[in-house]
């Protein structure tokens, strides 16, 4: 289960998930019209962050590996192999993952 998504910058609003179905929606206000879009609110970026933290291949200049995100590090807290762990990956060092938590019971143990 995915428990949360966070970043090392205060401008990022952490996302908390609960057991069961979680749906990410853009808020529509009473003043919204049919012409107001829900684009640019971070729904796809949240999926990109999850994908990045869980090991997607990366290419400089594409996806999250862009100049404005240099210095950012994203963390996903998940339950994996019966243990709750945090997996972090930095934009500056995309080939390195930091795992915080007990990895006992994992089929493959991470390198230290």
């Amino acid at each position: 289960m995915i428990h949360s998504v966070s970043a090392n910058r205060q401008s990022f609003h952490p996302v908390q998930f609960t057991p069961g179905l979680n749906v990410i929606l853009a808020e529509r206000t009473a003043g919204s019209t049919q012409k107001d879009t829900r684009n640019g609110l971070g729904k796809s970026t949240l999926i990109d962050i999850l994908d990045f933290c869980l090991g997607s291949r990366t290419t400089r200049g594409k996806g999250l590996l862009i100049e404005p995100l240099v210095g950012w590090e994203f963390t996903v807290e998940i339950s994996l192999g019966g243990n709750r762990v945090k997996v972090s990956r930095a934009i500056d060092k995309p080939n390195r993952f930091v795992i915080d938590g007990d990895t006992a019971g994992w089929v493959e143990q991470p390198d230290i």
Side-chain angles (χ1 to χ4, degrees):
M1 176 180 159
I2 300 170
H3 299 283
S4 66
V5 178
S6 60
N8 64 336
R9 302 289 175 100
Q10 287 185 346
S11 60
F12 184 89
H13 300 284
V15 178
Q16 302 291 322
F17 296 96
T18 59
L21 176 67
N22 290 261
V23 179
I24 306 297
L25 299 172
E27 184 177 1
R28 184 177 184 141
T29 65
S32 297
T33 68
Q34 289 289 71
K35 293 185 178 183
D36 291 327
T37 70
R38 307 301 167 258
N39 296 333
L41 298 176
K43 300 176 303 293
S44 295
T45 301
L46 180 61
I47 299 300
D48 290 343
I49 292 168
L50 287 167
D51 192 37
F52 179 71
C53 287
L54 297 177
S56 67
R57 293 181 186 253
T58 58
T59 302
R60 285 271 173 218
K62 293 186 178 184
L64 295 177
L65 294 187
I66 57 174
E67 188 65 31
L69 292 180
V70 168
W72 283 73
E73 179 176 289
F74 297 99
T75 300
V76 174
E77 188 171 359
I78 58 174
S79 289
L80 187 62
N83 298 316
R84 194 164 172 160
V85 297
K86 291 182 180 179
V87 179
S88 300
R89 192 173 182 192
I91 299 301
D92 301 357
K93 298 178 184 174
N95 294 330
R96 181 173 182 231
F97 295 83
V98 176
I99 300 170
D100 181 16
D102 185 8
T103 61
W106 286 18
V107 173
E108 288 286 327
Q109 287 298 305
D111 295 334
I112 295 177

